[in-house]
Amino acid sequence: MRDDPFSPAVRLLGWAVHGTFLVLLAIALVRVAHAGLAWATAGGVLLGIAYAAAVVPRLREHRTRPALARAWLGLISAGWVALALASPDFVWLAFPLFFAYLHLLPPPAALPGVAVLTGAAIAASAWHGGGPTLAEVLGPCIGAAVATMMALAYGALYRESERRRLLIEELVRTRERLVRAEAGAARLAERERLAREIHDTLAQGMSSIILLLRAARRDLDHAPGAARGRLDEAEKAAAENLEEARTFVRGLAPPVLQRSSLTDALRRVTESAGARSAARMRFEVSGTPAGLPTEYEVALLRIAQGALGNAGRHAAARNVGVTLTYLDDMVVLDVFDDGRGFDPSAAAPAEPDVPGEPDVPGEGTGYGLRAMRDRARALGGTLTVESAPGEGTAVVASLPLPAGPEDR
């Protein structure tokens, strides 16, 4: 029998065995004292003291001090044999000793030890009675069998408990790993979301400001009026980008959506992009506008901003069209131009160089298209890019409409 420090029931069982030994010993001492066996009484007291030493914490650490525990068990066994031969009242102490054998010795030694102890109890009873009787034989045998079965049953329960404990520890470690993995995934997802937001708003706006300032610088000498118009547009774009930056800090929806509907926001974004580009840009709505969740409106607005920014900077188009189409089960955003086009299978679209001007950092990386695809995919939609060199570009984002209460 093994001690399980985590089980109150096992501790209770141990104290019950100790209590049984001491009660049986007390009964035997009373009987031998009444019979006038002084030396047997003294020996029983010494046996009780030696047994009580087993409950001292240092001696109970039999796993770390097995030699001391087995020496104690041998001393108790020798004392019991001597007392059992002196008086039959001590024979019944064999029952709690069975548990001590099964507890302190490994199974290969414990079972033979219990058998020897049983034989000694039967022999001691026969010694005092002039020969063995059926009761004197069955009593120790039944006690030994009960103690052995209890020890084996506990051993099985202990092993099962250990397996469950190890499984629970593994589950706890797995849960901790999952929590760390989910936290890492959440950080990456938030980082990706912020990257898309910055690319589609602040980065696009800064690029537009740079282009406007370049154009104003070229027009400053020969067309000051046009240069002032470019500067006004740059100032307006800077103000919008500042508002976007403040929105990021507050964690609110895009300012253009806070003040109006999606269609109005797309119309203003298209007009603003047209004012910053030489291309003619127009916006149209097809179908009956339907209310959309905020995340749908934000995604469509950001996709439109990214596509318009690409068209204004890369396409060199004369005409750019934005169409928002409401169908029965989806909403579709088309942004198309008649510009130079590119090869969608390439890692990034080709970026035309402006003669005599430095490159604008962050352009031509291909991140914008990937960010647009990620936005559409996050809402269960798709984004298709159709283009070829010299044939213009069409960006089509399709988002399935969310089910209403009556459709669920």
Side-chain angles (χ1 to χ4, degrees):
M1 185 170 61
R2 298 291 185 266
D3 182 29
D4 182 5
F6 301 100
S7 174
V10 174
R11 289 195 295 269
L12 180 61
L13 177 61
W15 285 112
V17 171
H18 298 324
T20 302
F21 182 90
L22 295 176
V23 168
L24 292 176
L25 179 61
I27 294 173
L29 287 174
V30 171
R31 290 175 65 88
V32 296
H34 186 267
L37 299 175
W39 71 271
T41 303
V45 172
L46 292 177
L47 181 65
I49 294 173
Y51 187 90
V55 301
V56 176
R58 291 182 179 178
L59 296 182
R60 294 185 66 201
E61 295 295 334
H62 58 275
R63 291 188 181 123
T64 57
R65 308 179 69 178
L68 179 61
R70 290 170 187 175
W72 171 87
L73 184 61
L75 177 63
I76 294 295
S77 300
W80 171 78
V81 170
L83 291 173
L85 291 176
S87 172
D89 296 316
F90 292 99
V91 171
W92 298 108
L93 291 175
F95 182 73
L97 287 180
F98 291 150
F99 288 95
Y101 272 67
L102 294 168
H103 179 58
L104 296 176
L105 298 177
L111 295 178
V114 170
V116 171
L117 197 63
T118 303
I122 295 173
S125 298
W127 169 268
H128 293 287
T133 64
L134 181 62
E136 292 172 346
V137 172
L138 290 179
C141 290
I142 292 174
V146 171
T148 302
M149 287 188 294
M150 289 180 65
L152 294 176
Y154 167 75
L157 291 175
Y158 176 77
R159 289 189 294 272
E160 180 65 22
S161 175
E162 279 295 291
R163 284 194 293 268
R164 292 186 179 182
R165 182 180 64 82
L166 294 175
L167 178 61
I168 290 173
E169 290 179 354
E170 180 62 26
L171 290 175
V172 170
R173 288 193 295 268
T174 302
R175 183 181 64 179
E176 292 175 351
R177 288 195 296 267
L178 287 175
V179 169
R180 289 193 296 268
E182 290 177 357
R187 286 193 297 269
L188 290 176
E190 180 65 10
R191 192 176 301 169
E192 182 71 16
R193 185 189 71 82
L194 290 176
R196 289 196 301 264
E197 291 290 333
I198 293 172
H199 177 275
D200 294 341
T201 56
L202 300 180
Q204 299 282 10
M206 293 298 178
S207 178
S208 297
I209 292 172
I210 292 174
L211 293 176
L212 288 170
L213 292 176
R214 288 175 177 174
R217 185 173 60 186
R218 286 194 299 266
D219 296 339
L220 191 59
D221 295 330
H222 61 277
R228 283 193 295 271
R230 300 291 188 187
L231 292 175
D232 292 340
E233 290 295 333
E235 182 180 3
K236 181 180 177 182
E240 291 177 355
N241 275 262
L242 177 60
E243 192 173 4
E244 289 284 359
R246 289 172 175 169
T247 298
F248 290 156
V249 176
R250 294 193 301 264
L252 302 175
V256 68
L257 285 176
Q258 294 178 10
R259 299 189 299 264
S260 60
S261 65
L262 174 63
T263 55
D264 292 337
L266 287 174
R267 182 175 288 107
R268 281 200 298 273
V269 166
T270 304
E271 293 173 354
S272 178
R276 302 167 192 168
S277 172
R280 175 177 175 271
M281 298 190 180
R282 58 183 177 83
F283 171 73
E284 295 180 354
V285 178
S286 177
T288 302
L292 297 175
T294 301
E295 59 268 23
Y296 278 63
E297 294 184 344
V298 171
L300 292 171
L301 179 63
R302 296 308 190 207
I303 291 173
Q305 288 176 317
L308 288 172
N310 287 339
R313 290 193 307 275
H314 305 306
R318 292 187 300 273
N319 298 282
V320 179
V322 180
T323 304
L324 181 64
T325 304
Y326 290 90
L327 303 176
D328 293 337
D329 57 349
M330 70 173 55
V331 59
V332 180
L333 175 70
D334 296 272
V335 181
F336 52 91
D337 64 69
D338 58 359
R340 59 167 52 92
F342 67 99
D343 182 6
S345 62
E351 178 184 357
D353 295 328
V354 179
E357 298 291 349
D359 293 336
V360 178
E363 290 188 355
T365 62
Y367 180 82
L369 290 176
R370 182 166 66 87
M372 287 186 274
R373 286 195 180 94
D374 290 342
R375 288 184 183 278
R377 189 180 300 114
L379 297 175
T382 60
L383 186 130
T384 305
V385 179
E386 298 178 357
S387 183
E391 297 183 7
T393 301
V395 177
V396 181
S398 302
L399 301 181
L401 290 176
E406 67 279 0
D407 299 328
R408 293 172 185 166

